[in-house]
């Protein structure tokens, strides 16, 4: 019984430490595969010429690598005006995870 409450407490502690963000939807404990909206241009006057992607991956939440920053993704791919941004999160337990940002916008001609 003590083991059960210990695991339950550890689960709640882990979730509160790793998922304290309010920007993205709360993922599942075992497996997550979610798409969600990010920022957008409310005037919607930017034509969508191209889509650029950047991802960050992690292993055991001890080491992560990649670039999912919308500004740097746009700059690297020649996007001069951003129309909207989408996100995608895939995770399996705390072993492996991948977070991607999709930048939609107008390319520099």
């Amino acid at each position: 019984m003590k083991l059960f409450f210990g695991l339950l407490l550890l689960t709640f502690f882990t979730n509160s430490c790793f998922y304290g963000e309010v920007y993205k939807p709360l993922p599942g404990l075992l497996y997550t595969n979610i798409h969600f909206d990010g920022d957008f241009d409310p005037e919607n006057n930017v034509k969508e010429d191209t889509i650029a992607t950047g991802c960050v991956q992690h292993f055991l939440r001890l080491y992560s690598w990649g670039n999912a920053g919308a500004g740097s993704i746009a700059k690297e791919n020649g996007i001069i005006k951003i129309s909207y941004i989408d996100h995608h999160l895939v995770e399996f337990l705390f072993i492996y995870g991948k977070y991607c940002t999709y930048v939609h916008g107008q390319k520099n001609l």
Side-chain angles (χ1 to χ4, degrees):
M1 190 63 147
K2 287 183 181 182
L3 180 62
F4 172 76
F5 285 119
L7 287 174
L8 188 63
L9 183 63
L10 181 64
T11 302
F12 288 131
F13 176 76
T14 304
N15 279 337
S16 66
C17 287
F18 291 137
Y19 298 114
E21 307 166 26
V22 294
Y23 180 68
K24 65 182 181 183
L26 188 64
L29 282 176
L30 299 178
Y31 177 73
T32 302
N33 187 358
I34 53 176
H35 295 267
F36 57 99
D37 297 333
D39 299 323
F40 66 96
D41 181 11
E43 296 175 6
N44 202 16
N45 59 0
V46 177
K47 63 180 182 174
E48 182 184 336
D49 290 339
T50 188
I51 301 170
T53 305
C55 296
V56 172
Q57 300 176 55
H58 76 79
F59 180 70
L60 293 176
R61 295 209 177 250
L62 297 174
Y63 179 73
S64 63
W65 63 95
N67 181 8
S72 60
I73 294 169
K75 185 176 180 181
E76 288 172 3
N77 291 282
I79 297 176
I80 56 171
K81 291 183 181 179
I82 295 175
S83 176
Y84 62 97
I85 301 169
D86 288 328
H87 304 280
H88 181 221
L89 175 67
V90 175
E91 263 190 354
F92 178 70
L93 294 170
F94 294 107
I95 298 171
Y96 173 77
K98 185 175 183 180
Y99 177 85
C100 294
T101 301
Y102 300 92
V103 178
H104 304 254
Q106 184 176 344
K107 194 165 183 129
N108 190 5
L109 302 177

